[in-house]
Amino acid sequence: MAQLFEQSKKVIEAHLAGSSIRAISGSMVAYEGNVQFKSAGFGGGDGVLAGLKRRATGEKLSLMECSGNGRVFFAVNGQYVSVVNLNNETLQVESQQLLCFVGNLRTDVRFAGLRGASSGAGLFTTTVTGQGQVALLSAGGPLIYLEVSPQYPLIVDPDAFVACQGNLNQSFVTDVSWRTFVGQDAGEAFSLRFDGQGLVLIQPAER
C-alpha cells in the first residue's frame, strides 16, 4: 500500500511501490520514478452513483489517480498539510480541504442537515471511510484538533471547520450575538454544534 508523509508543513510526500493514490486534480507539484497519472473518473474512483450524488448535491470532488513506483509530492496554494490515519473509521471532511488519500478507502456524500429553518438550504459534506491515510489542507496554520465529550459539546464556526471523526452528532445553532460582535453579521448567522465523543479538526483561518 502507498504511504503518505508530511514532507514539510505544506507538502505531502507519497511513496508508491506498485500501488496507487487518489489526489485532488492539479495538486501534484513534483514526482520521481515511474509514475502514471490519469483522471479517477466521473465518480472519483467510487463509481457512477458517487458521481451522480456529488453532482446532485453540489459537493464537488475532482480526483486524479497516481500509480506506479516512485515518490509524488502534493501541495495546494501554500496551505498547511496534515495526515490523518483511519482504522475502519469514517472521516467527514469539507471537500475543498481534502488533498489525497491511500488505502482501502471509499468516498461518499453525507447530508449534514439544514442550514436554517428560514432558508431551508441543505449542507453536504464528503465522507472518507475505511482503512488508510488521508491528507488534509488547512489555511492560516496547521490543523487544530479539538476533543468533544458528552460533558463538553463543541461550537464551531462553519468557515473554520475542516473535518471530524468519531461518534458525533452535528447540528446547527443560531448564534447572532458573537458573530455580530466580531463583525460577521451578514446573512443568516449560524454555527455548527457537535455532541458526543470524537475529534473536530478546524483551521486557524476562515474560508
Side-chain angles (χ1 to χ4, degrees):
M1 185 175 73
Q3 286 187 296
L4 300 180
F5 302 91
E6 296 175 14
Q7 199 273 344
S8 72
K9 293 181 179 180
K10 299 182 180 182
V11 177
I12 288 292
E13 178 180 335
H15 290 187
L16 302 180
S19 48
S20 63
I21 178 174
R22 282 183 284 172
I24 296 300
S25 298
S27 60
M28 188 276 292
V29 293
Y31 78 95
E32 61 181 24
N34 184 19
V35 182
Q36 294 80 44
F37 301 88
K38 67 176 183 179
S39 169
F42 175 62
D46 292 309
V48 174
L49 182 59
L52 291 172
K53 188 183 294 187
R54 289 194 191 104
R55 177 173 290 181
T57 60
E59 185 73 359
K60 297 179 181 178
L61 191 63
S62 178
L63 297 173
M64 63 180 179
E65 183 176 325
C66 318
S67 58
N69 294 275
R71 297 192 301 166
V72 187
F73 301 88
F74 301 95
V76 174
N77 297 330
Q79 295 188 70
Y80 288 78
V81 296
S82 301
V83 174
V84 175
N85 296 303
L86 295 182
N87 185 18
N88 293 318
E89 301 168 286
T90 295
L91 182 73
Q92 181 177 312
V93 58
E94 290 295 306
S95 59
Q96 63 265 44
Q97 311 297 139
L98 182 62
L99 177 56
C100 56
F101 53 96
V102 298
N104 185 21
L105 296 171
R106 182 174 181 83
T107 65
D108 203 347
V109 177
R110 173 179 294 175
F111 177 61
L114 293 177
R115 185 183 306 230
S118 62
S119 67
L123 291 182
F124 300 87
T125 57
T126 292
T127 60
V128 185
T129 304
Q131 187 164 7
Q133 295 176 292
V134 182
L136 301 176
L137 296 164
S138 61
L143 283 175
I144 300 168
Y145 295 73
L146 301 176
E147 186 174 352
V148 181
S149 66
Q151 296 81 13
Y152 296 99
L154 180 68
I155 308 296
V156 172
D157 186 328
D159 288 327
F161 172 77
V162 173
C164 65
Q165 63 183 126
N167 186 21
L168 294 172
N169 294 317
Q170 178 183 318
S171 58
F172 296 91
V173 294
T174 300
D175 196 345
V176 177
S177 59
W178 74 268
R179 281 182 171 270
T180 303
F181 179 75
V182 297
Q184 296 186 16
D185 56 352
E188 183 179 4
F190 72 99
S191 306
L192 300 176
R193 176 182 171 125
F194 294 91
D195 294 271
Q197 191 83 43
L199 283 175
V200 175
L201 286 59
I202 65 172
Q203 61 182 8
E206 295 181 333
R207 283 183 289 274

